[in-house]
Structures are given as C-alpha cells and as structure tokens.
Amino acid sequence: MLDHIQLKNISAHAYEQCLKCSICTVYCPVSAVEPNYPGPKHAGPDLLRYRLKDPDYFNETLKLCLNCKRCEVACPHGVKVGDIIQEARIQYSHHSPSLRDRMLANTDFVGSMATMVAPLTNFFLGLKPAKYVLDRIMKIDEHRQFPAYSGQKFETWFHRHAENDQRNFHRFVGYFHGCYVNYNFPKLGQDFVKIMNACGYGVHLLEKEKCCGVALIANGLSSQAKRQGEVNMASMRKSIDEGNEAVLTTSSTCTFTMRDEYKDLLKINNDGVRSHLMLATRFLCQLIDEGKIKLAFRKDFHKKVAYHTACHMERMGWAVYSIRLLQMIPGLDLTVLESQCCGIAGTYGFKKENYERSQKIGAPLFKQIKDVNPQCVATDCETCKWQIEMSTGYPVENPISLIADALDVEKTKELNK
Ligand code: SF4
Ligand code: SF4
C-alpha cells in the first residue's frame, strides 16, 4: 500500500527562478559518480515543468538523489532543487516501500526491539552468515556495518540517574535526543546533560518523542512521518510553553528535518517552535556571545581532530557553531575538512543497490581524512559517523562529546554560578 501525503503542486512557485546555469549539477555528489542520474537541474526544475502537465513524466531515477541539499546551497537563485525532487518522489512514485525499506525506516520500532536483547542483536548483526542472508534476502549490503545497540536506553538512564538532579536548576532547556542517542549511543545524551548542567542549565526530556521521520520520508512513508512530526511539534510547543528556553538536539539530520522538512515537505506547522529548536552547539555559542555562560577546559586534554561538515549542517549553515566551540578547546588541534558528502545519506547507503555508489561518493572525503591522519574525526551527524568509521577506520565523535571530554566541569560550574 502506498503511504504518501498528497501535495498539490507546492513547488510550482519555485522552479521558474531557475536560470539553467547548471551550478547545482557541479555540486551534486550523485551526478559526479552516476551517469544514469539526470542531475539536480534536470531532475528538479526542468522535469517539474513536464510533471505539472503529466505525472507520468516522473522518473524513478529520482530515487538516486541523496536529499543532501548541496544543490540548494550552490544555487545562486534560491531554487529549492532538493525539495522539488523530494516532493516529486512523495507525490508521483508508484512504488510501495518494501519490507526492507519499512524496517530501515521504522527506527523507533526496530530500536525498541533491538535494545531489549542488545548483546544478541549485536552478535547476530556482526556474523558473516547473518550479513549474507540480509544481503541476499533483504538487499541490505553485506559490507555495511550496523551501529551497535545499547543495553540501556538513554531515556531509562535519564529517568534513573539524572532526572532528580535537574530540580537543582533555575534555567532549563528541553532535549530531543533522537533514535541514535536513545537506542545506540546514550553516552552522547549523557555528555549533553553534563555540559548543560555545568553551564547552569537543567535538562527536561519532551513529554512524548517520536523518531524525527527522516528515514520515513526517504523511504516513501511520508504519512507516517507527518503523524510522528505532529507529535514532536506538540511536545516541543508544550516544552517551550512550560519555560524551557530552547529545545536542543545533538543530531544535525534530526534538526534539519524538524526545522525545514516538516514545514517544506510535510506541511507541518512548526511556527513558534522552529526558532527555539536548534543544535546544542548553536545554543552554547549564542549563550557565550551574550556573556551568559563561560566554559573552562582541562589543561591535560590533547587531541588532533578533523571536522567533517555533514550535508545538512552545510544546508543550515551551522557548522560554524560546532567549529567555533571546538576551536575554544586549547588542547584541540583542529583541521576543518573541505565540505564533501560522505555518501551514506541515512538508510540510502545500507541498500544493496546503492552501496557501491555510496562508497564512490564518499571516497574524496575518506582520502582527505587519511591525508590529515587525525586521532579522531568530529561531525554532528550520526550516519556520517557510521560511514566514516566503516570506510576509514578512524573513530568519529560528535563535537558535544569532545567538549564534554575536554570540559573542566568544576571550574565551569564555578564560572556559571
Ligand atoms: S539533493 Fe543532493 S543528491 Fe539530490 S540532486 Fe541535490 S545535490 Fe544531488
Ligand atoms: S543552480 Fe539554481 S538556477 Fe542554476 S540550474 Fe541549478 S536550480 Fe537552476
């Protein structure tokens, strides 16, 4: 059964601004490696003219688009090329999502099941015969490494070990932790709480949190994404009404989806929430600039780090905040890599039909990392982390975890009393 919301020509206003300069095509990571992809100019504004007359002009090769939005960053005329392509996929694709696509997209359901038996799940997903079966039957490429599941969800840790302590604060923020923190890597959420508490802020979780829906949108399940998005928006609105200064995140992809894809693609009203919803690194930079907080760092922290700008960080223009914070750490030797797509694009790179293309797209970035030879790579996107760790062997950390590791907690608390 098809699961898509009907959108009536919502891009009709945008495509006429295209002057056919083809700059977007130069910056498209798929066009660089895939001769069968028509490229953003043709797949976006050009073919939209035809699709508006006859939906049969929809071309299944549009599914090769990563939705990285690098074409939109490049376009000098503000054409929302990536949105035009995504809208066409939502509106015109006649292919129902497969069982594989539904499994990859339902991160909340799969994560809840997997964390219940995490050691068994991790063991099974690491076995060669299991990978072989997933490859042959489910078409999930056997080379792909799955992120490990945690034995305890972040939410469980928070309720047991951190919630009571939050009552000691007078200023608060809400936290959208996302699926990765909840099911795979609670430490990132713990690092976030550590930093906010040291800065004098208590942390509240949202009353209800659902997966942001990025993987649902990518896999043709936009109606489900919209339902989940409406739950998230209602919870965030409540969180802000209750006095939390902002709703913070530690994932660039979740942030971009909820700020921009909700309103532009899913037509979810996020007015009044969007301006309060941001990455933790942006919020911390704002507080520092306004003289409201200070950070102190350990003198014995030393690390050589290369920063990778994830595609959605590039689209939001927010890499500057994570980079600025990392540059404040005296013992951190930072190289900012040239911004290039890593190729995974969430669930895209897990699919057998995309795996080789995904690795080709990421190859120039992997070379850059190897040339710098850092102790670790920093990035704000968890799926970039999986791709870079698997393809280069270098460990990857979220900037929040690096800041938490380098932070002199007692001194920071003193400074923010
Ligand atoms: S969103 Fe990315 S992959 Fe898709 S057309 Fe634009 S640049 Fe190419
Ligand atoms: S960069 Fe913008 S104006 Fe130029 S071809 Fe692409 S969409 Fe059209």
Side-chain angles (χ1 to χ4, degrees), residues 172-176 192 203-206 239 244-249:
F172 296 95
V173 288
Y175 180 41
F176 179 95
F192 167 77
V203 174
H204 290 141
L205 302 191
L206 301 178
S239 174
N244 291 296
E245 289 183 21
V247 176
L248 302 183
T249 60

Side-chain angles (χ1 to χ4, degrees), residues 335-373:
T335 302
V336 178
L337 302 168
E338 188 192 329
S339 178
Q340 287 174 316
C341 179
C342 77
I344 191 167
T347 59
Y348 183 101
F350 280 82
K351 299 176 183 176
K352 191 165 175 60
E353 66 272 23
N354 295 336
Y355 179 79
E356 207 180 308
R357 189 180 313 109
S358 158
Q359 295 309 107
K360 269 192 200 167
I361 290 170
L365 174 69
F366 309 150
K367 182 176 181 312
Q368 275 197 77
I369 293 168
K370 285 174 187 164
D371 288 348
V372 173
N373 191 25

Side-chain angles (χ1 to χ4, degrees), residues 155-388:
E155 285 175 354
T156 310
W157 170 84
F158 185 85
H159 293 313
R160 284 188 191 159
H161 303 291
E163 194 161 30
N164 282 342
D165 296 342
Q166 307 310 309
R167 298 197 179 111
N168 302 329
F169 296 91
H170 303 293
R171 298 181 292 182
F172 296 95
V173 288
Y175 180 41
F176 179 95
H177 49 69
C179 300
Y180 172 64
V181 165
N182 206 27
Y183 304 118
N184 300 102
F185 199 59
K187 182 180 175 294
L188 174 54
Q190 291 161 7
D191 290 339
F192 167 77
V193 174
K194 175 180 166 182
I195 296 170
M196 295 317 299
N197 286 177
C199 292
Y201 276 81
V203 174
H204 290 141
L205 302 191
L206 301 178
E207 189 178 78
K208 276 188 196 162
E209 180 181 316
K210 298 274 185 193
C211 165
C212 72
V214 64
L216 294 168
I217 298 169
N219 285 287
L221 294 155
S222 49
S223 296
Q224 189 185 342
K226 184 166 170 126
R227 287 194 296 277
Q228 295 188 186
E230 278 165 349
V231 171
N232 288 333
M233 278 304 111
S235 292
M236 288 182 192
R237 199 160 271 126
K238 188 163 185 279
S239 174
I240 293 158
D241 289 346
E242 286 172 351
N244 291 296
E245 289 183 21
V247 176
L248 302 183
T249 60
T250 42
S251 160
S252 53
T253 293
C254 299
T255 315
F256 174 73
T257 301
M258 296 188 293
R259 281 176 55 91
D260 293 332
E261 304 280 64
Y262 277 11
K263 79 180 164 54
D264 293 337
L265 285 183
L266 300 180
K267 299 294 152 192
I268 295 172
N269 177 7
N270 62 7
D271 290 353
V273 174
R274 190 173 182 274
S275 57
H276 290 82
L277 169 60
M278 65 187 90
L279 266 181
T281 52
R282 184 182 187 221
F283 186 72
L284 290 168
C285 275
Q286 283 181 355
L287 292 181
I288 291 167
D289 289 346
E290 291 164 9
K292 290 182 179 165
I293 62 160
K294 289 191 172 115
L295 301 178
F297 293 103
R298 288 165 35 204
K299 290 194 171 61
D300 61 347
F301 180 89
H302 299 285
K303 208 160 220 176
K304 184 178 175 186
V305 176
Y307 179 81
H308 160 61
T309 304
C311 295
H312 293 156
M313 284 297 271
E314 187 71 55
R315 181 67 184 98
M316 292 189 291
W318 286 5
V320 62
Y321 301 114
S322 296
I323 292 167
R324 268 187 64 202
L325 286 175
L326 292 174
Q327 285 172 332
M328 287 177 199
I329 303 172
L332 196 145
D333 172 8
L334 185 68
T335 302
V336 178
L337 302 168
E338 188 192 329
S339 178
Q340 287 174 316
C341 179
C342 77
I344 191 167
T347 59
Y348 183 101
F350 280 82
K351 299 176 183 176
K352 191 165 175 60
E353 66 272 23
N354 295 336
Y355 179 79
E356 207 180 308
R357 189 180 313 109
S358 158
Q359 295 309 107
K360 269 192 200 167
I361 290 170
L365 174 69
F366 309 150
K367 182 176 181 312
Q368 275 197 77
I369 293 168
K370 285 174 187 164
D371 288 348
V372 173
N373 191 25
Q375 284 167 284
C376 88
V377 177
T379 191
D380 295 272
C381 173
E382 58 269 22
T383 58
C384 295
K385 170 183 163 75
W386 305 339
Q387 173 80 328
I388 294 168

Side-chain angles (χ1 to χ4, degrees), residues 84-100:
I84 293 173
I85 296 167
Q86 293 313 305
E87 282 169 14
R89 289 174 55 174
I90 290 173
Q91 226 172 333
Y92 302 123
S93 176
H94 297 302
H95 283 251
S96 298
S98 63
L99 175 64
R100 174 201 64 184

Side-chain angles (χ1 to χ4, degrees), residues 17-25 40-41 45 71 74-79 81:
Q17 293 162 23
C18 173
L19 299 181
K20 304 188 184 300
C21 65
S22 295
I23 291 175
C24 53
T25 303
K41 176 176 81 73
C71 47
C75 177
H77 299 284
V79 179
V81 196

Side-chain angles (χ1 to χ4, degrees), residues 102-155:
R102 287 177 191 275
M103 277 184 61
L104 287 173
N106 276 283
T107 48
D108 261 333
F109 175 75
V110 173
S112 305
M113 296 292 131
T115 47
M116 276 197 268
V117 284
L120 203 63
T121 312
N122 296 336
F123 176 70
F124 173 79
L125 290 174
L127 289 176
K128 271 195 173 172
K131 284 175 176 253
Y132 181 86
V133 171
L134 284 173
D135 184 292
R136 296 303 186 277
I137 296 177
M138 298 289 286
K139 307 289 180 215
I140 294 174
D141 197 279
E142 62 188 320
H143 298 97
R144 187 57 65 188
Q145 285 167 12
F146 282 86
Y149 285 95
S150 168
Q152 186 185 52
K153 288 197 287 185
F154 169 74
E155 285 175 354

